């Protein structure tokens, strides 16, 4: 049972009320309070989850806030039936019992607006300030939506309809976020920019010390010089990946992106993976603290900070020499890394350095790998190529993360010197328009074998396709042989030159697979069209 303070705050002029559910929101609220409301009366509504995590939560009253009120997780989660009505009753009772009248509160600042308090405020018609869930998430609401959909579909639907993910609700009058961490082009006139790290740097040193002590950083943490710091996530807990895939994704991350220096893991607080046993030479930071405190806790600053898709890294932009992060797409499709790496090795070995475009790829993964080879990738997905541009493209990398039915148009327009690499991650064979098999007349397969280093057995084979109107270009691609040691994954990536006979066989197999896939695609399109006609009352 957690302590909740009985207050006598009705009529207090200028009361500021914070609501926090996550560690990030708690840190943000503390720093925001110190920056803007250090002389105001402040109260924080805190989830029981955080009290479990921070047994010293009562120190919040001693060091930062005037009062702390703990929300009962069980009482809230039991309100599945008639959620809005029961949530209203719960918070009416909680606020009345602590003598808080919201009409007299100067500002209500809500972290995790899609939690029950956000539902309460919007259905009661009470204005509040939206504190984004995590760094950069206000411009990426689909990330939070997808997570919440897995955890509680009923609440997720209510919150989505109320506009509590993208802050579109009319009662949200201000949005606190770090504008530098948002998607390019994102803007909202309600935004109040706040860079957490910049704000901490100008805080009173005694308050910074209190902050570090609260988050259990009592002394500087020693890590090796020039290290790569990997901030992990708890994918298996969130049911995004299996535990085995969670281990595999980090092995591949190290194999491809850490070629020198020490590895330091900073596990997510809810990530229970034993990284020190998987990576015996690594350092694992056992201290649990928000990632935004990274610039303040280490004796030696890491050279590189890397994560898969943790939004916490967004707040580190501008504070570190090198940051590496990936997309949410990469989380579930991380094995694309083998194809992307191989495609870039082909480009590099062929000495193509300019006029390289990508279409429908996982752009972030491609760009991260391209930096190894000093190759600049131009994103043609967001800035579509004009027909005139095709003639100047040296290489076009195309994947099928999105449907693209205009590939044949592109094949007709590219110059004879252009190399197209069809990565074909989802094996949709979008470059083949049935029954026009002519595309396979100008194509060679690139066979990637992933070989177990202990047994020397091929564990997995992946295939890409290289297209060029010039045979000498196709022959050049086929002649490129690649080997890469994937030490932590205990695998060898290998691409070998194919004989003419092997090419013919693989092309015939490709035609067969492509025909099957495309026919399935056309059947699906026809079914969807019939359904639309049926809904419109038109007989097909």
């Amino acid at each position: 049972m957690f302590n909740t303070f009985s207050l006598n705050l009705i009529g207090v002029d200028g009361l500021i009320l914070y609501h926090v559910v996550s560690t990030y929101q708690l840190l943000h609220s503390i720093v925001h309070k110190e920056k803007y409301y250090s002389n105001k009366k402040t109260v924080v509504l805190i989830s029981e989850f955080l009290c479990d995590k921070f047994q010293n939560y009562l120190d919040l009253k001693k060091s930062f806030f005037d009062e702390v009120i703990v929300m009962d997780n069980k009482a809230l989660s039991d309100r599945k039936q008639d959620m809005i009505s029961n949530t209203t009753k719960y918070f009416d009772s909680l606020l009345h019992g602590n003598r808080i009248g919201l009409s007299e509160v100067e500002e209500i600042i809500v972290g995790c607006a899609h939690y029950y308090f956000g539902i309460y405020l919007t259905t009661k018609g009470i204005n509040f300030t939206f504190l984004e869930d995590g760094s950069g998430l206000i411009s990426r609401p689909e990330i939070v939506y997808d997570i919440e959909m897995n955890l509680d579909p009923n609440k997720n639907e209510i919150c989505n309809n109320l506009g509590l993910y993208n802050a579109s609700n009319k009662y949200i009058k201000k949005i606190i976020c770090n504008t530098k961490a948002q998607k390019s082009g994102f803007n909202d006139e309600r935004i109040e920019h706040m860079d957490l790290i910049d704000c901490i740097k100008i805080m009173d040193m005694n308050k910074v010390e209190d902050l570090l002590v609260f988050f259990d950083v009592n002394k500087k943490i020693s890590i090796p010089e020039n290290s790569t710091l990997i901030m992990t996530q708890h994918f298996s807990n969130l049911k995004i990946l299996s535990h085995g895939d969670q281990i595999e994704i980090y092995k591949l991350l190290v194999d491809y992106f850490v070629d020198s220096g020490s590895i330091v893991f900073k596990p997510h607080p809810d990530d229970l993976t034993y990284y020190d046993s998987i990576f015996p030479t690594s350092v694992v930071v056992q201290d649990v603290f928000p990632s935004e405190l990274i610039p303040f806790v280490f004796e030696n600053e890491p050279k590189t900070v890397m994560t898969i898709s943790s939004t916490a890294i967004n707040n580190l932009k501008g504070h570190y020499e090198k940051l590496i992060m990936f997309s949410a797409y990469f989380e579930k499709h991380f094995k694309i890394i083998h194809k992307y790496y191989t495609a870039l090795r082909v480009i590099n070995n062929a000495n193509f350095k300019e006029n390289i475009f990508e279409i429908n790829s996982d752009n972030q993964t491609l760009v991260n790998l391209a930096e190894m080879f000093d190759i600049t990738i131009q994103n043609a997905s967001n800035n579509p190529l004009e027909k005139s541009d095709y003639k100047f493209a040296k290489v076009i990398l195309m994947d099928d993360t999105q449907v693209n039915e205009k590939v044949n148009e592109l094949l007709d327009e590219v110059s004879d010197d252009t190399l197209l690499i069809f990565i074909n991650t989802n094996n949709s064979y979008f470059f083949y328009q049935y029954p026009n098999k002519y595309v396979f007349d100008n194509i060679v397969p690139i066979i990637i074998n992933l070989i177990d280093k202990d047994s020397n057995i091929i564990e997995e084979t992946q295939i890409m396709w290289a297209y060029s109107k010039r045979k000498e270009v196709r022959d050049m691609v086929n002649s490129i042989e690649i080997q890469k040691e994937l030490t932590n994954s205990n695998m060898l990536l290998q691409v070998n030159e194919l004989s003419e006979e092997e090419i013919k066989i693989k092309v015939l197999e490709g035609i067969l697979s492509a025909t099957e896939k495309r026919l399935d695609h056309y059947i699906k399109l026809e079914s969807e069209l019939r359904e639309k006609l049926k809904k419109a009352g038109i007989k097909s």
Side-chain angles (χ1 to χ4, degrees):
M1 186 69 183
F2 297 100
N3 289 327
T4 297
F5 301 96
S6 294
L7 312 180
N8 188 16
L9 294 173
I10 291 180
V12 171
D13 183 39
L15 176 67
I16 308 300
L17 178 63
Y18 290 92
H19 170 274
V20 297
V21 173
S22 71
T23 301
Y24 172 83
Q25 295 153 17
L26 177 58
L27 172 64
H28 213 135
S29 295
I30 292 171
V31 176
H32 185 273
K33 180 260 180 186
E34 291 301 319
K35 180 176 173 65
Y36 293 103
Y37 294 129
S38 60
N39 296 319
K40 293 277 190 178
K41 190 85 170 178
T42 56
V43 177
V44 60
L45 281 175
I46 185 171
S47 73
E48 207 170 51
F49 303 115
L50 283 177
C51 296
D52 286 329
K53 187 177 291 186
F54 299 104
Q55 295 293 314
N56 59 335
Y57 75 96
L58 293 179
D59 291 344
L60 290 169
K61 181 178 181 183
K62 182 174 67 176
S63 302
F64 302 109
F65 299 101
D66 293 290
E67 303 292 356
V68 178
I69 300 174
V70 180
M71 293 176 288
D72 187 332
N73 291 347
K74 189 175 187 306
L76 286 166
S77 60
D78 282 347
R79 292 160 195 275
K80 303 292 185 187
Q81 302 299 321
D82 198 9
M83 183 179 292
I84 292 176
S85 174
N86 287 327
T87 296
T88 299
K89 289 177 185 176
Y90 173 80
F91 280 107
D92 278 346
S93 174
L94 181 69
L95 295 170
H96 180 76
N98 287 281
R99 300 186 59 76
I100 295 178
L102 293 184
S103 61
E104 299 179 38
V105 174
E106 180 179 330
E107 186 173 9
I108 304 170
I109 301 168
V110 182
C112 199
H114 60 272
Y115 200 57
Y116 298 93
F117 193 52
I119 296 173
Y120 172 77
L121 293 173
T122 50
T123 53
K124 295 271 282 190
I126 298 171
N127 296 336
F128 66 95
T129 294
F130 182 104
L131 171 61
E132 68 172 339
D133 288 302
S135 179
L137 285 182
I138 185 60
S139 62
R140 303 172 180 88
E142 68 280 357
I143 295 176
V144 183
Y145 176 91
D146 288 345
I147 292 172
E148 291 297 316
M149 186 64 184
N150 285 333
L151 299 176
D152 191 339
N154 182 35
K155 183 166 73 66
N156 182 70
E157 182 181 359
I158 291 172
C159 291
N160 191 48
N161 291 338
L162 289 173
L164 295 178
Y165 291 120
N166 61 6
S168 61
N169 191 283
K170 66 181 180 180
Y171 296 110
I172 297 172
K173 300 302 182 182
K174 186 165 70 175
I175 299 169
I176 300 172
C177 67
N178 183 350
T179 55
K180 294 185 292 185
Q182 307 306 323
K183 274 185 175 179
S184 177
F186 176 78
N187 192 29
D188 191 303
E189 63 182 11
R190 297 169 295 168
I191 285 176
E192 174 184 280
H193 169 67
M194 184 176 170
D195 184 317
L196 260 179
I197 295 172
D198 282 345
C199 291
I200 295 172
K201 285 179 177 178
I202 62 173
M203 274 175 62
D204 178 89
M205 287 306 298
N206 290 327
K207 284 295 183 183
V208 174
E209 188 65 29
D210 289 342
L211 191 68
L212 294 175
V213 168
F214 177 80
F215 288 105
D216 205 27
V217 183
N218 298 303
K219 63 179 181 179
K220 290 280 187 178
I221 300 169
S222 178
I223 62 172
E225 292 183 354
N226 299 317
S227 59
T228 296
L229 179 69
I230 300 176
M231 296 158 44
T232 79
Q233 293 159 263
H234 56 306
F235 295 120
S236 57
N237 286 0
L238 293 174
K239 301 178 182 178
I240 294 171
L241 294 175
S242 67
H243 183 63
D245 281 347
Q246 165 127 359
I247 293 170
E248 185 177 357
I249 198 172
Y250 284 110
K251 284 182 176 180
L252 289 175
L253 208 65
V254 173
D255 283 333
Y256 277 102
F257 291 97
V258 185
D259 56 0
S260 63
S262 300
I263 306 165
V264 179
F265 283 94
K266 182 190 180 301
H268 186 281
D270 298 323
D271 182 2
L272 303 178
T273 308
Y274 292 98
Y275 291 100
D276 47 357
S277 64
I278 300 166
F279 303 91
T281 61
S282 69
V283 175
V284 178
V285 177
Q286 302 294 350
D287 306 70
V288 178
F289 57 88
S291 297
E292 289 75 17
L293 295 180
I294 285 173
F296 308 97
V297 303
F298 293 119
E299 286 184 356
N300 298 312
E301 288 287 312
K303 182 179 179 181
T304 302
V305 180
M306 180 161 55
T307 188
I308 292 171
S309 56
S310 170
T311 58
I313 201 171
N314 292 319
N315 272 333
L316 300 177
K317 288 179 179 177
H319 299 282
Y320 281 93
E321 177 185 338
K322 188 174 183 181
L323 298 178
I324 301 175
M325 72 177 301
F326 298 81
S327 66
Y329 180 86
F330 184 76
E331 293 173 5
K332 293 185 178 180
H333 303 86
F334 60 89
K335 291 184 180 180
I336 61 172
I337 198 167
H338 303 304
K339 284 188 172 185
Y340 283 25
Y341 172 83
T342 301
L344 290 164
R345 277 285 297 268
V346 169
I347 293 170
N348 186 66
N349 288 16
N351 203 30
F352 296 145
K353 294 290 185 181
E354 297 177 346
N355 296 322
I356 299 168
F357 295 87
E358 69 80 22
I359 300 175
N360 292 338
S361 77
D362 179 17
N363 179 260
Q364 192 64 53
T365 301
L366 200 58
V367 168
N368 288 341
L369 288 165
E371 287 184 6
M372 299 179 187
F373 306 104
D374 196 27
I375 293 173
T376 300
I377 304 290
Q378 300 185 55
N379 186 341
S381 297
N382 293 335
N383 302 292
L385 291 170
E386 298 294 334
K387 285 188 177 182
S388 59
D389 293 331
Y390 294 152
K391 299 186 184 302
F392 299 101
K394 196 67 178 176
V395 181
I396 301 177
L397 291 162
M398 297 194 69
D399 204 354
D400 55 357
T401 61
Q402 302 174 46
V403 175
N404 189 326
E405 298 296 338
K406 296 184 178 180
V407 168
N408 279 64
E409 181 180 302
L410 183 150
L411 295 178
D412 293 336
E413 295 294 332
V414 295
S415 76
D416 291 351
D417 295 323
T418 302
L419 170 65
L420 288 92
I421 299 179
F422 300 123
I423 298 170
N424 207 33
T425 291
N426 296 310
N427 295 316
S428 65
Y429 292 91
F430 61 90
F431 56 85
Y432 171 52
Q433 299 294 319
Y434 179 82
N436 302 320
K437 300 186 181 70
Y438 71 87
V439 64
F440 283 98
D441 295 337
N442 296 319
I443 211 164
V444 291
I446 301 172
I447 311 296
I448 305 165
N449 288 321
L450 297 167
I451 303 167
D452 183 277
K453 290 169 67 178
D454 291 334
S455 65
N456 206 33
I457 293 173
I458 297 174
E459 293 288 333
E460 184 180 350
T461 296
Q462 298 182 1
I463 303 179
M464 298 188 298
W465 302 90
Y467 173 94
S468 175
K469 296 174 183 177
R470 290 176 53 190
K471 187 177 186 305
E472 57 266 38
V473 174
R474 299 196 299 274
D475 288 344
M476 178 270 295
V477 170
N478 181 53
S479 69
I480 294 173
E481 297 198 329
I482 298 169
Q483 280 202 137
K484 180 172 177 59
E485 294 272 352
L486 303 172
T487 305
N488 294 282
S489 303
N490 197 39
M491 288 192 299
L492 175 69
L493 181 148
Q494 192 172 75
V495 176
N496 295 321
E497 182 175 1
L498 301 176
S499 67
E500 287 294 329
E501 187 65 25
E502 287 173 321
I503 292 173
K504 286 179 183 177
I505 292 170
K506 288 298 179 184
V507 167
L508 287 172
E509 289 174 352
I511 292 172
L512 184 62
S513 296
T515 301
E516 182 181 352
K517 287 286 185 180
R518 297 307 290 171
L519 286 175
D520 286 345
H521 175 68
Y522 297 140
I523 290 168
K524 181 182 177 184
L525 289 179
E526 183 185 15
S527 176
E528 289 174 352
L529 178 59
R530 287 181 183 276
E531 187 63 29
K532 286 180 181 178
L533 291 173
K534 183 179 178 181
K535 287 182 178 179
I538 302 171
K539 290 185 178 180
S540 57

